[in-house]
Amino acid sequence: MKLNGLWQLPVLAAGCGLALSLTQVKLQPAIETSRENYAIHQLLSIIGEPEASIEQLGEALFRVDGNNYLFAVTTNEGYNGRIDLWLGIDVDGVIEGVRVHAHAETPGLGDKIDHRLSDWIHGFKGHSLRTPDDAWDVRRHGGEFDQFTGATITPRAVIHAVRQGLEEFREHQPQWQTMRQVRNERN
Amino acid sequence: MNETDTSRGGYAEIARNGLWHENPAIVQLLGLCPLLAVSGTVVNSITLGLCTLVILAASNLVISAIRSLLDDTTRLPAQIMVIATFVTLADLLLQAHAFEIHQQVGLFVALIVTNCTLLGRAESFARRNPVRRATFDGAMMGTGFLIVIVLMGMIREVLGHGTLFTNMDLIFGSAAADWTITVADSGFLLVVLPPGAFLTLGLLVAGKNWVDQRNDGRMTDEQG
């Protein structure tokens, strides 16, 4: 009954395609939920409270335990362009943690801003706008933060972005405080 | 691979071949990329080993079931299609139910499709054997691979990190969170790096050959 492979492959391909599509449709909600939980877990690990309750206020703005905020800050001052950061700030405007979320800095030099490669990023913890303006720089420029051997542009970009994030927080905190959770409004 | 007639021999022989004499990892040296890259910790090893085991058994089953419909021109594309389908299914399932471990080994789960063990078993065994034998062969070859990759994971985790069974809760649920055994505060970095993977595998291959030689020697002694 063989027709020299004229029908076997198309039929098999259709069967495989069908099996995959059905599985994909069935699993998509579970995958979305897992992805979201994972992302939230990653975010909460920034402030070291993986069990805290979290509400999403905007695309890149979360409220944690009612008072503290996690939000995204972006700078284009990186040695290689854009650096995306997450800032965790408590109700008094004190930094609880910073994470670099995406960057294109030079491997081995500027990439020490990544928390997996160095502890540098943890140096922001406890800082706030009470930290004097001059201190928001690398040591070589009279600031309080370490530069990296062979890379000062990258850490400076991050330092400035973090400070800008604090200013943004001061400006928006009252407004954020009254914001409702996005998902509740959508429902 | 020796071109023996795979349609003969009982289930015990299939099991012995998969687990020892033709072990895909330490005898045929197939699927080295995932074996070397993912065996840094036990949890990663178990995940990839189990995925490989299930995919290998399932693809052998289907390929054996459709073997009479295929001829020489359609055989290879059909086999690859079946394998790729199961790999994609495994990838989706992992994403849905074990997202965090998928973040770590996901790339290598997708790469199982290029693991020569799968196409090798399809070609040399599944297409010449009835469904039950083919599935059993896939399961045994998969188990052989699983044992070796988990063994490598254990050796490399103990020597490289000084721990054993960290993060097992990622696959076994929160009950497994305290399974971690700390042997030392730190380990040899070399063992974690790629050269360490090669060295560990080399030692396992040597160990297997040593056991074989010792057994051969004993047999000739007894005969002589």
Short mmCIF file of all heavy atoms in Angstrom, two decimals, chain B residues 167-206:
data_model
loop_
_atom_site.label_atom_id
_atom_site.label_comp_id
_atom_site.label_asym_id
_atom_site.label_seq_id
_atom_site.Cartn_x
_atom_site.Cartn_y
_atom_site.Cartn_z
N ASN B 167 18.46 22.78 45.82
CA ASN B 167 17.33 23.20 44.98
C ASN B 167 16.46 22.07 44.47
O ASN B 167 15.80 22.20 43.45
CB ASN B 167 17.83 24.01 43.76
CG ASN B 167 18.47 25.30 44.17
OD1 ASN B 167 18.13 25.86 45.20
ND2 ASN B 167 19.42 25.76 43.38
N MET B 168 16.45 20.94 45.18
CA MET B 168 15.64 19.83 44.71
C MET B 168 14.16 20.17 44.75
O MET B 168 13.35 19.52 44.10
CB MET B 168 15.89 18.58 45.57
CG MET B 168 17.28 18.01 45.41
SD MET B 168 17.60 17.38 43.76
CE MET B 168 17.27 15.66 44.04
N ASP B 169 13.79 21.22 45.53
CA ASP B 169 12.38 21.61 45.60
C ASP B 169 11.88 22.10 44.24
O ASP B 169 10.68 22.13 43.99
CB ASP B 169 12.17 22.69 46.67
CG ASP B 169 13.16 23.82 46.53
OD1 ASP B 169 14.35 23.53 46.29
OD2 ASP B 169 12.76 24.99 46.66
N LEU B 170 12.80 22.48 43.34
CA LEU B 170 12.38 22.95 42.03
C LEU B 170 11.66 21.85 41.26
O LEU B 170 10.80 22.12 40.44
CB LEU B 170 13.59 23.43 41.21
CG LEU B 170 14.31 24.67 41.72
CD1 LEU B 170 15.38 25.09 40.76
CD2 LEU B 170 13.32 25.80 41.93
N ILE B 171 12.02 20.57 41.51
CA ILE B 171 11.29 19.50 40.83
C ILE B 171 10.45 18.65 41.77
O ILE B 171 9.45 18.10 41.35
CB ILE B 171 12.21 18.58 39.97
CG1 ILE B 171 13.52 18.29 40.68
CG2 ILE B 171 12.42 19.16 38.62
CD1 ILE B 171 14.41 17.35 39.87
N PHE B 172 10.83 18.53 43.02
CA PHE B 172 10.08 17.64 43.91
C PHE B 172 9.16 18.38 44.88
O PHE B 172 8.65 17.79 45.82
CB PHE B 172 11.05 16.73 44.69
CG PHE B 172 11.79 15.79 43.80
CD1 PHE B 172 13.15 15.94 43.58
CD2 PHE B 172 11.13 14.74 43.18
CE1 PHE B 172 13.84 15.06 42.75
CE2 PHE B 172 11.81 13.86 42.35
CZ PHE B 172 13.15 14.03 42.13
N GLY B 173 8.97 19.68 44.68
CA GLY B 173 8.08 20.43 45.56
C GLY B 173 8.76 20.87 46.84
O GLY B 173 9.89 20.48 47.13
N SER B 174 8.03 21.66 47.63
CA SER B 174 8.66 22.32 48.78
C SER B 174 9.14 21.32 49.84
O SER B 174 9.98 21.66 50.67
CB SER B 174 7.69 23.32 49.41
OG SER B 174 6.44 22.67 49.61
N ALA B 175 8.61 20.08 49.82
CA ALA B 175 9.06 19.09 50.81
C ALA B 175 10.55 18.78 50.63
O ALA B 175 11.22 18.36 51.57
CB ALA B 175 8.25 17.81 50.66
N ALA B 176 11.05 19.02 49.42
CA ALA B 176 12.44 18.68 49.13
C ALA B 176 13.39 19.83 49.41
O ALA B 176 14.60 19.74 49.15
CB ALA B 176 12.58 18.24 47.68
N ALA B 177 12.85 20.94 49.96
CA ALA B 177 13.68 22.14 50.13
C ALA B 177 14.85 21.92 51.07
O ALA B 177 15.90 22.53 50.92
CB ALA B 177 12.81 23.29 50.63
N ASP B 178 14.67 21.00 52.06
CA ASP B 178 15.76 20.82 53.04
C ASP B 178 16.55 19.53 52.78
O ASP B 178 17.11 18.95 53.69
CB ASP B 178 15.22 20.86 54.47
CG ASP B 178 14.04 19.93 54.65
OD1 ASP B 178 13.68 19.25 53.68
OD2 ASP B 178 13.48 19.89 55.77
N TRP B 179 16.57 19.07 51.54
CA TRP B 179 17.35 17.89 51.20
C TRP B 179 18.83 18.19 51.07
O TRP B 179 19.65 17.29 50.97
CB TRP B 179 16.86 17.26 49.90
CG TRP B 179 15.54 16.56 50.02
CD1 TRP B 179 14.72 16.53 51.11
CD2 TRP B 179 14.88 15.78 49.01
NE1 TRP B 179 13.61 15.79 50.84
CE2 TRP B 179 13.66 15.31 49.57
CE3 TRP B 179 15.20 15.44 47.69
CZ2 TRP B 179 12.78 14.52 48.85
CZ3 TRP B 179 14.32 14.64 46.97
CH2 TRP B 179 13.11 14.19 47.55
N THR B 180 19.16 19.48 51.01
CA THR B 180 20.54 19.87 50.75
C THR B 180 21.49 19.32 51.82
O THR B 180 21.23 19.45 53.01
CB THR B 180 20.67 21.39 50.71
OG1 THR B 180 19.74 21.88 49.75
CG2 THR B 180 22.07 21.81 50.34
N ILE B 181 22.56 18.69 51.38
CA ILE B 181 23.59 18.22 52.28
C ILE B 181 24.82 19.06 52.01
O ILE B 181 25.27 19.16 50.87
CB ILE B 181 23.94 16.74 52.00
CG1 ILE B 181 22.68 15.87 52.14
CG2 ILE B 181 25.05 16.25 52.93
CD1 ILE B 181 22.86 14.47 51.61
N THR B 182 25.32 19.72 53.04
CA THR B 182 26.53 20.52 52.84
C THR B 182 27.75 19.72 53.30
O THR B 182 27.83 19.31 54.46
CB THR B 182 26.43 21.84 53.62
OG1 THR B 182 25.20 22.48 53.25
CG2 THR B 182 27.59 22.74 53.27
N VAL B 183 28.64 19.48 52.37
CA VAL B 183 29.83 18.69 52.66
C VAL B 183 31.00 19.61 53.01
O VAL B 183 31.79 19.33 53.90
CB VAL B 183 30.20 17.81 51.45
CG1 VAL B 183 31.35 16.88 51.79
CG2 VAL B 183 28.98 17.01 50.98
N ALA B 184 31.08 20.71 52.26
CA ALA B 184 32.17 21.67 52.49
C ALA B 184 31.65 23.06 52.15
O ALA B 184 30.62 23.20 51.50
CB ALA B 184 33.37 21.31 51.63
N ASP B 185 32.36 24.09 52.61
CA ASP B 185 31.90 25.43 52.37
C ASP B 185 32.13 25.89 50.93
O ASP B 185 31.43 26.73 50.41
CB ASP B 185 32.61 26.41 53.32
CG ASP B 185 32.11 26.21 54.74
OD1 ASP B 185 30.98 25.69 54.88
OD2 ASP B 185 32.83 26.55 55.69
N SER B 186 33.14 25.31 50.31
CA SER B 186 33.39 25.68 48.92
C SER B 186 33.95 24.46 48.20
O SER B 186 34.19 23.42 48.81
CB SER B 186 34.38 26.83 48.83
OG SER B 186 35.62 26.41 49.35
N GLY B 187 34.15 24.60 46.90
CA GLY B 187 34.64 23.45 46.15
C GLY B 187 35.69 23.87 45.14
O GLY B 187 36.14 25.01 45.13
N PHE B 188 36.08 22.91 44.31
CA PHE B 188 37.05 23.20 43.26
C PHE B 188 36.32 23.78 42.07
O PHE B 188 35.48 23.10 41.47
CB PHE B 188 37.78 21.93 42.85
CG PHE B 188 38.46 21.24 44.00
CD1 PHE B 188 37.92 20.08 44.53
CD2 PHE B 188 39.62 21.75 44.55
CE1 PHE B 188 38.53 19.45 45.60
CE2 PHE B 188 40.24 21.12 45.61
CZ PHE B 188 39.68 19.97 46.14
N LEU B 189 36.65 25.03 41.73
CA LEU B 189 35.99 25.70 40.62
C LEU B 189 36.13 24.89 39.34
O LEU B 189 35.21 24.79 38.54
CB LEU B 189 36.59 27.10 40.45
CG LEU B 189 35.96 27.95 39.35
CD1 LEU B 189 34.50 28.23 39.66
CD2 LEU B 189 36.72 29.27 39.18
N LEU B 190 37.28 24.27 39.15
CA LEU B 190 37.57 23.52 37.92
C LEU B 190 36.48 22.49 37.62
O LEU B 190 36.09 22.30 36.48
CB LEU B 190 38.93 22.81 38.04
CG LEU B 190 39.28 21.87 36.89
CD1 LEU B 190 39.68 22.65 35.66
CD2 LEU B 190 40.36 20.89 37.27
N VAL B 191 35.98 21.85 38.66
CA VAL B 191 35.01 20.78 38.46
C VAL B 191 33.69 21.32 37.90
O VAL B 191 32.98 20.64 37.17
CB VAL B 191 34.76 20.02 39.78
CG1 VAL B 191 33.89 18.80 39.55
CG2 VAL B 191 36.07 19.59 40.40
N VAL B 192 33.38 22.58 38.25
CA VAL B 192 32.14 23.19 37.78
C VAL B 192 32.28 23.63 36.32
O VAL B 192 31.33 23.59 35.55
CB VAL B 192 31.77 24.41 38.66
CG1 VAL B 192 30.44 24.97 38.24
CG2 VAL B 192 31.75 24.00 40.12
N LEU B 193 33.49 24.04 35.95
CA LEU B 193 33.73 24.54 34.60
C LEU B 193 33.72 23.39 33.59
O LEU B 193 33.86 22.23 33.97
CB LEU B 193 35.07 25.29 34.57
CG LEU B 193 35.13 26.54 35.47
CD1 LEU B 193 36.53 27.13 35.47
CD2 LEU B 193 34.12 27.58 35.03
N PRO B 194 33.57 23.72 32.28
CA PRO B 194 33.52 22.68 31.26
C PRO B 194 34.65 21.64 31.34
O PRO B 194 34.37 20.45 31.19
CB PRO B 194 33.57 23.47 29.95
CG PRO B 194 32.91 24.74 30.29
CD PRO B 194 33.29 25.05 31.71
N PRO B 195 35.91 22.03 31.58
CA PRO B 195 36.97 21.00 31.65
C PRO B 195 36.65 19.95 32.72
O PRO B 195 36.93 18.76 32.53
CB PRO B 195 38.22 21.77 32.03
CG PRO B 195 37.96 23.16 31.61
CD PRO B 195 36.49 23.38 31.75
N GLY B 196 36.05 20.39 33.82
CA GLY B 196 35.68 19.47 34.89
C GLY B 196 34.67 18.44 34.41
O GLY B 196 34.71 17.28 34.82
N ALA B 197 33.77 18.88 33.51
CA ALA B 197 32.79 17.95 32.96
C ALA B 197 33.49 16.86 32.14
O ALA B 197 33.20 15.67 32.26
CB ALA B 197 31.79 18.71 32.09
N PHE B 198 34.46 17.28 31.32
CA PHE B 198 35.21 16.31 30.51
C PHE B 198 35.98 15.34 31.41
O PHE B 198 35.96 14.14 31.18
CB PHE B 198 36.18 17.03 29.57
CG PHE B 198 35.54 17.52 28.30
CD1 PHE B 198 35.19 18.85 28.17
CD2 PHE B 198 35.29 16.65 27.25
CE1 PHE B 198 34.58 19.30 27.01
CE2 PHE B 198 34.70 17.10 26.09
CZ PHE B 198 34.33 18.43 25.96
N LEU B 199 36.64 15.89 32.44
CA LEU B 199 37.43 15.04 33.33
C LEU B 199 36.54 14.03 34.04
O LEU B 199 36.87 12.85 34.13
CB LEU B 199 38.16 15.91 34.36
CG LEU B 199 39.29 16.78 33.80
CD1 LEU B 199 39.81 17.73 34.86
CD2 LEU B 199 40.42 15.90 33.27
N THR B 200 35.40 14.50 34.54
CA THR B 200 34.49 13.60 35.25
C THR B 200 34.02 12.48 34.33
O THR B 200 34.03 11.30 34.69
CB THR B 200 33.26 14.37 35.78
OG1 THR B 200 33.72 15.56 36.42
CG2 THR B 200 32.47 13.53 36.75
N LEU B 201 33.61 12.87 33.10
CA LEU B 201 33.14 11.86 32.16
C LEU B 201 34.26 10.86 31.85
O LEU B 201 34.04 9.64 31.81
CB LEU B 201 32.65 12.51 30.86
CG LEU B 201 32.14 11.51 29.81
CD1 LEU B 201 30.87 10.82 30.30
CD2 LEU B 201 31.88 12.20 28.48
N GLY B 202 35.49 11.40 31.66
CA GLY B 202 36.63 10.53 31.37
C GLY B 202 36.84 9.52 32.48
O GLY B 202 37.08 8.33 32.22
N LEU B 203 36.72 9.97 33.73
CA LEU B 203 36.90 9.06 34.86
C LEU B 203 35.82 7.99 34.88
O LEU B 203 36.09 6.82 35.16
CB LEU B 203 36.89 9.85 36.17
CG LEU B 203 38.14 10.70 36.40
CD1 LEU B 203 37.98 11.55 37.65
CD2 LEU B 203 39.38 9.82 36.53
N LEU B 204 34.59 8.38 34.55
CA LEU B 204 33.50 7.40 34.54
C LEU B 204 33.74 6.35 33.44
O LEU B 204 33.54 5.15 33.65
CB LEU B 204 32.15 8.09 34.32
CG LEU B 204 31.60 8.87 35.51
CD1 LEU B 204 30.26 9.49 35.17
CD2 LEU B 204 31.46 7.96 36.72
N VAL B 205 34.15 6.82 32.25
CA VAL B 205 34.44 5.89 31.15
C VAL B 205 35.56 4.93 31.57
O VAL B 205 35.47 3.71 31.40
CB VAL B 205 34.85 6.65 29.87
CG1 VAL B 205 35.31 5.69 28.79
CG2 VAL B 205 33.68 7.48 29.36
N ALA B 206 36.61 5.51 32.18
CA ALA B 206 37.73 4.68 32.63
C ALA B 206 37.27 3.66 33.67
O ALA B 206 37.65 2.48 33.63
CB ALA B 206 38.83 5.56 33.22
#
